[in-house]
Structure formats: structure tokens, C-alpha cells
Amino acid sequence: MSITLLSSPLQGFTDFRFRNAVNQYFGGIDTFYAPYIRLNGKFKIKPAYERDLLVKNNTVKELIPQIMTNSADEFLFVAKYVQSLGYKELNWNLGCPYPMVTKRGMGSGLICETEKINNILDRVHSESDILVSMKMRLGYENPEEILNALPILDNYPLKNIAIHARLGKQLYKGGVDLEGFQKALDKTKHLLYYNGDITSVESFNKVREQFPSVTHFMIGRGLIADPFLPSMIKNNTNEYPENHLETFSKFHDTIYHDYKDYLSGDKHALLKMNSFWEYFATTFDNPQKTFKKIKKSKSIAAYEDAVREILSHR
Ligand SMILES: Cc1cc2nc3c(=O)[nH]c(=O)nc-3n(C[C@H](O)[C@H](O)[C@H](O)COP(=O)(O)O)c2cc1C
């Protein structure tokens, strides 16, 4: 059975510059999700969201926009907007774990509010022809929450439900709950995508073996840490391609120059690259030492030297 790999969105990382460069240099990802759009009560799309979604800025095969909201009006407004750009699907984020979001009944804080979910899906499906998919955690407080929500979701023609197999209250700590994911599989008629802690070919093979019926897997942090991972998963190999440092170097230079051109001031570009290197460094021999080299680079020249040094002996 062939598998589909999807790039799970990370706000602040997986924008169009990153997605295009990953697609160009590494391949292996079939579908990319854009980080969520959040309106915050104002019915206006911020220019940064628009830039990220404009078809002319995106060179990947398939891109799916995402929304985080607990309002049917906001959902319908964003659905209309993404349709105007040419998209057919809108993914609904019920996964975000941060208290600022969950306390307002959004992200994973909405999973337990089954009536609200039902009302929003009901209005969206009666007032729009957008295709809806969901991205959820197993719950905020406990994994029973998703089991209560799934029978309601069965009533709607959702494209799929992607599940990050953790609870909201865990944030990103602790392990994934594979038993909880299995219970969700048993309880829904919908197609479930697996998401959570796929960081290597081994960890992928483990979830693949545990859930033989699952064909779609989303990779978030693992893709940023090692953009070779999706194609290595597809080829079922631990071997990097021969020219992998050269390829990574080209990828790095592409996103680095894009951010340098876009962000005002060297400081912002360095901060941005710092946050990427927190992930990149984990796949180098001495991750802490590698990241330290980047972190202490306070000028563009020092940063470029540090990168060259790191990439000359991975
Ligand atoms: C910094 C950061 C930003 C994220 N932004 C989003 C987002 O915009 N939308 C979303 O659905 N998930 C978001 N996530 C969650 C990831 O997409 C993913 O579900 C999670 O990290 C688990 O998958 P992984 O273990 O493969 O990273 C974010 C995660 C992190 C760490």
C-alpha cells in the first residue's frame, strides 16, 4: 500500500519560502499545510497570510490552508477567501495547545465542546461548499474527549481527520499516546492521518507497523530537523544521498537569502535562522556545539562563517 506524506504546519517555520525550498531540494512530501489563519474578531486577512497563500508564491504540488477559530462566521469568511484564491479545502485546527488559545475555547481547548463543533460544522456545510478537513489532538485534558467528538464528526463529509496523538495539556512534552490513536481509529468512519514524533525512518516504520490501515502520515518538527527524512522514508533507507551536504547547503542558502531579503534588518534574519538551526542542529554530530556556533554569531559575516564551518564537516 503506498503512503502519503504531509508536511504538518509550524507557525513561524513552514511558510511558502520554506515549503518551496523543501520541495525543490528534497522532495518526498506530497502535500503541505500552511500554518493557521487566525482572525481575532476582525474580518480582515492580514497581508502575511495572503502572501503565504497566493498561488503565484507557491510552487508545491498541493497546499492546504488552515484556520484556527471557534466561530462559524470566521470559518465561512476564511473559506470564501481561500476559495477566491483557488483553494478547495480548508483545514480546521483543533490541536493548538497554548493556554492563550485553549482558554478562549480554540485549538485543543475546543475538542471537548462537542455541541459547538457540531454547530460550526453544520453552518459551514449548509452555507459553503468548501471541503473541510480537521487537525486535532486526542483532547485537551484526557483522550476521552476525541472519542466523544468523533461520532459527531461522522455526520459530516470531512475529507480526513489528522490526529496529533498527544493531549493539549502535554504541550510537546511526554510521549505520543498510540493506544489513544488506536481507539480513535476504532471509533470513526473518517480517514485518519497519523501525526506525532516521526523523526526518523525507524520511528516512521514503528507507527506504520502499529497502524497498518493508516496510509497518511504528517511530519512536523522532523521535517525541519531533517528535510531529507520524507524521501528517506519513502525509499526505506537510512542512507543520505551522496551529495547531501551540498544539497542541504543550497537549501540553507535559498531560505537564508529569502529571509534576508524579506525581513528588515540583519538582526531579524539572524533570529529567524537561529530558530531554524535549533532544529537543523539536532541532526549534526554534536547538536549543542553546532547550535552554540550559530547562536553566538551576532553579525551576518559571523553567521555565514559559522554555517560554512558547520557544513564543511557534518
Ligand atoms: C512552533 C510550532 C508551531 C506550530 N504551528 C502549528 C500550526 O500553525 N498549525 C497546526 O496545525 N499545528 C501546528 N503545530 C503542530 C505541528 O504541526 C505538529 O502537529 C506537532 O508538532 C506534532 O508533530 P511532529 O511531532 O511531527 O512535530 C506547531 C508546532 C510547533 C512546535
Side-chain angles (χ1 to χ4, degrees):
M1 203 165 17
S2 79
I3 56 144
T4 300
L5 296 181
L6 306 101
S7 156
S8 197
L10 267 78
Q11 195 73 246
F13 292 91
T14 63
D15 68 359
F16 69 97
R17 301 172 186 88
F18 173 85
R19 299 189 301 258
N20 291 345
V22 164
N23 189 50
Q24 179 184 350
Y25 293 107
F26 307 102
I29 291 288
D30 300 287
T31 301
F32 289 80
Y33 286 84
Y36 63 78
I37 292 176
R38 190 174 159 189
L39 293 181
N40 284 323
K42 284 196 199 113
F43 286 82
K44 199 172 173 323
I45 303 288
K46 285 192 204 154
Y49 292 143
E50 174 139 326
R51 242 189 329 268
D52 195 44
L53 291 178
L54 281 178
V55 170
K56 71 176 169 67
N57 289 341
N58 284 283
T59 54
V60 300
K61 270 177 290 192
E62 189 181 29
L63 176 66
I64 299 169
Q66 187 186 62
I67 182 171
M68 186 159 71
T69 186
N70 59 6
S71 143
D73 288 330
E74 285 191 358
F75 200 118
L76 287 162
F77 176 81
V78 172
K80 209 166 170 187
Y81 169 72
V82 298
Q83 282 181 319
S84 78
L85 297 182
Y87 295 97
K88 301 206 162 12
E89 175 183 350
L90 185 57
N91 182 264
W92 190 14
N93 178 328
L94 269 70
C96 186
Y98 294 112
M100 291 252 293
V101 165
T102 56
K103 281 194 179 133
R104 292 182 187 156
M106 278 188 279
S108 60
L110 186 56
I111 301 171
C112 65
E113 298 209 40
T114 47
E115 216 177 294
K116 197 155 199 179
I117 295 173
N118 191 33
N119 290 341
I120 293 171
L121 287 176
D122 183 46
R123 270 199 63 202
V124 166
H125 286 93
S126 48
E127 294 175 40
S128 166
D129 60 356
I130 192 102
L131 187 57
V132 179
S133 60
M134 318 259 305
K135 182 162 178 285
M136 307 173 75
R137 291 200 180 208
L138 295 171
Y140 181 81
E141 198 56 50
N142 66 69
E144 297 301 309
E145 291 173 28
I146 197 164
L147 301 180
N148 294 329
L150 287 171
I152 287 161
L153 303 186
D154 270 356
N155 297 327
Y156 297 95
L158 303 176
K159 184 182 164 211
N160 65 273
I161 306 169
I163 298 183
H164 174 195
R166 274 195 175 81
L167 295 172
K169 71 174 181 188
Q170 285 181 267
L171 298 171
Y172 291 91
K173 295 182 210 115
V176 280
D177 176 1
L178 298 182
E179 212 179 295
F181 184 80
Q182 181 63 55
K183 284 188 185 159
L185 269 177
D186 297 339
K187 185 94 192 220
T188 183
K189 67 165 205 197
H190 286 302
L191 179 67
L192 293 193
Y193 293 5
Y194 176 83
N195 172 232
D197 291 5
I198 296 177
T199 54
S200 63
V201 177
E202 291 79 55
S203 58
F204 168 77
N205 283 335
K206 198 173 148 241
V207 283
R208 176 94 178 101
E209 273 161 34
Q210 182 148 356
F211 306 113
S213 66
V214 175
T215 51
H216 292 66
F217 299 85
M218 288 174 84
I219 310 179
R221 293 163 298 170
L223 172 68
I224 301 174
D226 189 355
F228 289 99
L229 182 60
S231 55
M232 284 163 71
I233 286 175
K234 286 197 167 157
N235 295 324
N236 196 18
T237 177
N238 276 315
E239 296 284 320
Y240 284 92
E242 242 170 54
N243 55 350
H244 79 281
L245 273 186
E246 203 183 306
T247 305
F248 183 84
S249 183
K250 284 184 189 156
F251 162 74
H252 167 274
D253 291 354
T254 300
I255 59 169
Y256 169 54
H257 289 298
D258 282 355
Y259 285 120
K260 214 148 65 77
D261 289 347
Y262 165 62
L263 295 166
S264 57
D266 293 351
K267 205 173 148 199
H268 288 118
L270 291 178
L271 275 174
K272 183 60 121 182
M273 294 316 294
N274 241 275
S275 53
F276 274 107
W277 274 101
E278 264 189 275
Y279 288 98
F280 295 159
T282 60
T283 62
F284 285 77
D285 278 346
N286 191 333
Q288 275 178 342
K289 204 170 143 199
T290 302
F291 185 54
K292 225 171 167 179
K293 274 187 192 153
I294 296 291
K295 219 174 148 189
K296 72 174 194 211
S297 308
K298 300 291 179 215
S299 69
I300 288 287
Y303 172 77
E304 291 176 1
D305 281 351
V307 171
R308 290 303 143 231
E309 195 196 326
I310 292 165
L311 293 182
S312 63
H313 45 264
R314 190 177 196 168

